[in-house]
Amino acid sequence: MSSAVKRVPIPGNGVDYRGKIVLAPMVRSGELPSRLLALHYGADLVWGPETVDHALIGTTRRFNASTSTVDFTRLPSNGSKVPNPHQKESLIYRLHPAREGRRLVFQLGTSSPERAVQAARLVAGDVAGIDVNAGCPKPFSTSGGMGAALLTTPDLLCGILEALVHSIGREFDIGISVKIRLLETSELTERLVRRLCDTGIVGLTVHCRTTLMRPRERALRHQLRMITSVCKEKGVACVMNGDVANSDEARELMREFGADGAMIATRAEANPSCFRSKVDGGLAPWREVVGEYIKIALEVENRWGNTKFLLNQLIPGKDATYRIIASSKNYQEVCRILGLEYLQGQAKDVDEVLGIQRSGNMTIEKAKASNPTARAAGGRMRTVKPSTREDYDSMPNMPIEVTSGATMSI
């Protein structure tokens, strides 16, 4: 007589990660329009970008009637102990309760059980789960003892998870999970996974790279079967991450390695229709994807800098349109360049709201005058596609979100 498979109970307001293909938590590429676009193309769940506890604590929760979103905002300090009350508030996090609500997992960057609980309590009523980032290897995260630094302090990591499970999971009836990377040996990884599973979490995501590995290095899956086996033994859902190209490949890998779910990162950043199976149409042409993205970005009044960054990811770099878009200054210009005339009225309104109204034909006319190839394409042919935080910081009209650090899967 076979014994029943053990499963940690899924809280009433939470979500089971089993059988799900999900969007990874990516800085800048995981903002609201990107999440809604991934859901549009078939993602089962979406992770928001890592938000540091210090950034969230002290925010005010407001419902934005214009965008039907819930916004968490705060006054910028600009290095001062007492913020200027006359400054415009900074948007720290924006979510759409009707369109993503119970399919959104909030990823928290923290190195303190107390701050983790304080920050999570602010958003827990609006999301399906809280996920602790214990995998980001970048200095902006690890220097504060967060991200992958938590892999070297397992007592602290377990303390954070236990505090969230007991104080937030129970109060809001949602699940708590964690995202990690591989340790140097299978023995070390197994020991850590067992400890994490005993904290009361409902899910564990493993990025199949070590802390020292870069995204261009091929994911390592030699420890994955062991990790999925331990998670099954403990009744915790295991989600695999690293070099997952699309939903069809995700399901094949899940069957091969025994994972309960799969997370897609960089491929979704380039074309979120990767969540659509071949049976349902597979990858959509980039123009279709970009059109959908602009429509959503306008609906939620997305920051122009973030929109422009995402367009640089969605439009192929070799296409002439990429270079023209890279010189655009607002939504109206983008809609003209892409032939989205039906969105021009909405684009004008959003440009006014965001304060980015400029001469609409300036970019295109300058491009035509300066380059014969651009004249043929209708725009200018000079730009650099940002690939690092430093590249991004050097580009004009592309401000970085308070909660963001660098574009990467964490």
Side-chain angles (χ1 to χ4, degrees):
M1 185 175 177
S2 60
S3 58
V5 177
K6 181 179 179 180
R7 289 196 176 188
V8 173
I10 304 301
N13 293 326
V15 62
D16 194 344
Y17 296 171
R18 293 175 179 86
K20 306 294 195 301
I21 312 298
V22 308
L23 177 70
M26 292 181 286
V27 174
R28 293 203 303 272
S29 295
E31 299 293 343
L32 178 57
S34 300
R35 301 196 303 267
L36 295 182
L37 190 60
L39 291 170
H40 170 79
Y41 281 113
D44 296 304
L45 301 172
V46 289
W47 264 239
E50 176 196 21
T51 304
V52 176
D53 52 14
H54 283 295
L56 193 62
I57 294 170
T59 58
T60 299
R61 178 190 183 278
R62 292 189 175 91
F63 179 75
N64 187 331
S66 175
T67 57
S68 299
T69 59
V70 171
D71 296 349
F72 294 86
T73 63
R74 65 182 304 162
L75 287 172
S77 64
N78 295 324
S80 173
K81 291 184 179 180
V82 181
N84 183 347
H86 301 295
Q87 293 184 92
K88 183 179 180 181
E89 291 195 341
S90 296
L91 176 64
I92 304 301
Y93 201 88
R94 173 172 283 173
L95 60 89
H96 201 298
R99 297 171 70 174
E100 60 178 348
R102 292 303 163 188
R103 294 185 288 175
L104 171 63
V105 177
F106 183 92
Q107 192 181 65
L108 181 65
T110 185
S111 59
S112 161
E114 294 75 23
R115 286 200 309 273
V117 169
Q118 188 179 355
R121 181 167 279 118
L122 296 171
V123 298
D126 294 300
V127 299
I130 303 292
D131 185 73
V132 173
N133 173 13
C136 180
K138 291 292 184 178
F140 71 82
S141 187
T142 57
S143 62
M146 304 178 294
L150 289 170
L151 299 177
T152 65
T153 56
D155 290 341
L156 175 59
L157 176 54
C158 288
I160 291 170
L161 294 173
E162 288 169 349
L164 288 169
V165 168
H166 292 134
S167 297
I168 300 301
R170 292 178 180 177
E171 178 180 345
F172 292 91
D173 203 21
I174 62 173
I176 307 300
S177 59
V178 64
K179 188 170 188 284
I180 67 170
R181 285 190 173 226
L182 301 175
L183 298 184
E184 290 73 15
T185 67
S186 294
E187 291 74 21
L188 288 173
T189 302
E190 180 177 358
R191 190 181 309 160
L192 176 65
V193 170
R194 288 187 177 278
R195 288 195 63 184
L196 298 177
C197 287
D198 287 337
T199 61
I201 59 174
V202 300
L204 180 146
T205 301
V206 56
H207 185 155
C208 295
R209 291 183 174 90
T210 65
T211 300
L212 296 178
M213 292 177 67
R214 299 279 72 87
R216 65 180 177 275
E217 297 180 72
R218 189 168 183 175
L220 304 174
R221 296 188 177 124
H222 62 287
Q223 297 187 34
L224 188 52
R225 285 192 180 86
M226 174 272 294
I227 296 169
T228 60
S229 177
V230 171
C231 287
K232 280 184 169 56
E233 175 189 332
K234 298 289 187 177
V236 172
C238 181
V239 178
M240 63 175 294
N241 173 222
D243 290 348
V244 181
N246 53 58
S247 63
D248 293 315
E249 181 180 270
R251 299 204 180 277
E252 291 176 7
L253 291 170
M254 288 162 61
R255 286 191 292 269
E256 180 179 355
F257 292 95
D260 296 299
M263 179 176 279
I264 305 178
T266 54
R267 294 299 183 90
E269 181 181 53
N271 189 331
S273 66
C274 65
F275 287 104
R276 190 168 66 179
S277 67
K278 288 183 179 178
V279 173
D280 293 326
L283 280 179
W286 72 261
R287 286 187 177 275
E288 173 192 316
V289 175
V290 167
E292 289 291 340
Y293 177 78
I294 291 295
K295 179 174 176 289
I296 294 171
L298 288 171
E299 289 169 350
V300 300
E301 297 176 0
N302 194 46
R303 293 178 306 108
W304 168 245
N306 180 252
T307 294
K308 188 171 180 179
F309 173 82
L310 260 295
L311 290 174
N312 286 337
Q313 314 308 309
L314 296 172
I315 300 174
K318 294 182 179 180
D319 194 287
T321 308
Y322 171 85
R323 293 162 175 80
I324 308 169
I325 291 292
S327 298
S328 61
K329 299 296 189 291
N330 54 39
Y331 280 107
Q332 292 177 78
E333 287 189 25
V334 164
C335 287
R336 267 192 294 273
I337 293 166
L338 295 174
L340 303 174
E341 296 301 329
Y342 72 101
L343 294 176
Q344 275 293 352
Q346 191 175 4
K348 182 177 184 295
D349 293 340
V350 174
D351 284 345
E352 290 176 351
V353 169
L354 299 178
I356 55 174
Q357 277 282 65
R358 301 190 184 183
S359 176
N361 294 322
M362 187 182 301
T363 299
I364 297 175
E365 293 308 317
K366 282 186 176 180
K368 290 180 178 179
S370 64
N371 189 308
T373 307
R375 286 198 295 271
R380 190 160 61 186
M381 304 291 289
R382 180 179 60 82
T383 191
V384 177
K385 188 171 184 177
S387 58
T388 66
R389 180 185 177 89
E390 291 73 25
D391 291 338
Y392 184 89
D393 287 350
S394 67
M395 295 188 70
N397 303 315
M398 297 181 72
I400 294 179
E401 183 75 72
V402 172
T403 60
S404 303
T407 300
M408 59 177 297
S409 167
I410 47 184

